[in-house]
Amino acid sequence: MASPIVDANYRFIAAYNEVNTRVGQRQQALAMYVSIIVGLMAALVALRPSGTGATAPVEWLVLAFPIASVCFAFLNFKAESAITNLRTFLSTLERLGDADRQLPSYNTDPRWSQGANRARRFHDYAAAVLVAGGNLLGLGAAHAIHPQRFAEMPGFTVLAALLAAASFVVVWLTPRWSYSPA
């Protein structure tokens, strides 16, 4: 008895469902990042000096801004890598039996795939602006609210700035790893 083979159409449908899931995860990561940054800003403002003498260790809270950005950059890269891998698989399926020469092929024909990539760049730009803006707002607010704390411990500022810059670079360069047809 011959073993059953999963038809290419079913594989295509399954892979496209996975692409849609990864795109959704990418959007969820962006929403989660914005929520975390807003929550950190609220915590930072809530910890402003009250004049009672004791102050909270806000230096550690400031590191949460770039750490959240680094995590977002990793999640964004993971989603982009998975989408690229899946679209490469879909392109392979589109070319079975030279079908790409007879039917429009979204992942194989550069006219379609490059147009989609250009449109998706706006997500990448938004993510990069949010990473830069979230870190600048967080670090700037921390220094404005707690200037003496940061004057006493400049290492936190340097470490936070380095992590923020690294996460921005990863998010900015993520489009380089996007799918493009062979």
Side-chain angles (χ1 to χ4, degrees):
M1 179 174 178
S3 63
I5 295 176
V6 178
D7 184 83
N9 288 334
Y10 292 113
R11 292 174 191 216
F12 192 86
I13 291 167
Y16 243 108
N17 285 337
E18 186 67 22
V19 168
N20 288 332
T21 299
R22 298 298 177 171
V23 169
Q25 286 176 342
R26 193 172 173 196
Q27 291 302 112
Q28 288 171 343
L30 186 61
M32 182 175 64
Y33 175 73
V34 170
S35 297
I36 289 170
I37 294 300
V38 169
L40 288 171
M41 286 295 292
L44 190 60
V45 170
L47 292 174
R48 70 183 176 272
S50 62
T52 60
T55 59
V58 295
E59 310 74 40
W60 293 101
L61 180 62
V62 166
L63 287 177
F65 285 94
I67 288 171
S69 298
V70 167
C71 292
F72 172 67
F74 287 158
L75 290 172
N76 201 45
F77 175 78
K78 177 197 76 127
E80 192 63 38
S81 296
I83 291 167
T84 296
N85 187 45
L86 288 162
R87 289 186 68 196
T88 301
F89 176 74
L90 289 165
S91 177
T92 300
L93 290 175
E94 288 175 355
R95 289 191 310 267
L96 286 177
D98 291 329
D100 60 311
R101 294 185 181 160
Q102 301 165 17
L103 298 169
S105 300
Y106 184 78
N107 294 291
T108 303
D109 188 338
R111 290 178 300 166
W112 303 107
S113 58
Q114 289 172 354
N117 286 348
R118 276 193 303 276
R120 289 180 57 232
R121 285 311 137 249
F122 288 98
H123 171 90
D124 299 320
Y125 299 149
V129 168
L130 284 170
V131 165
N135 281 290
L136 287 172
L137 286 172
L139 297 175
H143 284 276
I145 295 170
H146 305 280
Q148 185 174 349
R149 295 295 295 245
F150 289 96
E152 295 168 2
M153 303 187 92
F156 279 93
T157 303
V158 171
L159 180 58
L162 289 173
L163 288 171
S167 62
F168 175 80
V169 168
V170 170
V171 170
W172 187 257
L173 293 179
T174 297
R176 291 179 181 240
W177 301 295
S178 293
Y179 171 78
S180 63

